[in-house]
Amino acid sequence: VSIDMAMVLLDAAPESATITDNLGRTPLQLLMPVAKLKDRHGMLPLHFQTAHSKYLTVNFLKFLIAAFPDSIDVQDDRGMLPFQYAFINKSLSVDVLMYFVEMNLPRLCTGRVL
C-alpha cells in the first residue's frame, strides 16, 4: 500500500488505524519502516508529503509523524525541514499549516529552525 493510498483510507475511515492484518500489525506498524526511508534527494515521506501533497490532512500528518517522530527534525539534502516545505506548498490547508506552527513554535522562538 502506498502512502497516498494509506492517507485516503485513514482519512475516509479513521477507525481503520486500529485494525490489524493477519500478522497482528496495525497500519502504523506497517508505516514505521517506510517513514524512515529517504529518497534520492534525502527526503523522507514526511518531506515528500508536505512538499507535494494536495490533500494532506492534519489527521494523516499526525499519523505520519507518529510513524517516525524524529522526522520533523530531519533535513533533506537541500537542508529543508518538512515544515518548511509545508509553507511552500500552496495546496495545503490552513489547518495543516497551523498544526506545523503549533508544533514548531518552541523551535521558532529559540531560532533553532531559522
Side-chain angles (χ1 to χ4, degrees), residues 53-67:
S53 179
K54 294 181 180 179
Y55 308 106
L56 183 64
T57 63
V58 172
N59 285 340
F60 192 74
L61 178 61
K62 289 178 181 180
F63 188 78
L64 194 53
I65 292 169

Side-chain angles (χ1 to χ4, degrees), residues 40-57:
R40 62 189 168 110
H41 303 290
M43 294 177 89
L44 295 167
L46 181 59
H47 288 97
F48 189 85
Q49 289 298 317
T50 56
H52 302 291
S53 179
K54 294 181 180 179
Y55 308 106
L56 183 64
T57 63

Side-chain angles (χ1 to χ4, degrees), residues 7-21:
M7 180 170 55
V8 170
L9 291 172
L10 289 169
D11 283 336
E15 66 279 2
S16 66
T18 59
I19 295 173
T20 58
D21 67 7

Side-chain angles (χ1 to χ4, degrees), residues 2-98:
S2 73
I3 289 182
D4 288 331
M5 180 69 82
M7 180 170 55
V8 170
L9 291 172
L10 289 169
D11 283 336
E15 66 279 2
S16 66
T18 59
I19 295 173
T20 58
D21 67 7
N22 293 341
L23 300 174
R25 299 171 299 185
T26 65
L28 182 61
Q29 290 169 321
L30 293 170
L31 184 59
M32 285 176 161
V34 176
K36 297 177 182 180
L37 296 177
K38 290 185 176 184
D39 68 11
R40 62 189 168 110
H41 303 290
M43 294 177 89
L44 295 167
L46 181 59
H47 288 97
F48 189 85
Q49 289 298 317
T50 56
H52 302 291
S53 179
K54 294 181 180 179
Y55 308 106
L56 183 64
T57 63
V58 172
N59 285 340
F60 192 74
L61 178 61
K62 289 178 181 180
F63 188 78
L64 194 53
I65 292 169
F68 181 32
D70 291 341
S71 64
I72 60 171
D73 292 320
V74 174
Q75 293 181 340
D76 67 4
D77 291 351
R78 294 177 58 202
M80 297 280 287
L81 294 167
F83 92 93
Q84 292 169 311
Y85 281 114
F87 283 90
I88 294 171
N89 182 347
K90 297 186 185 320
S91 299
L92 294 182
S93 71
V94 172
D95 291 339
V96 167
L97 298 177
M98 289 306 298

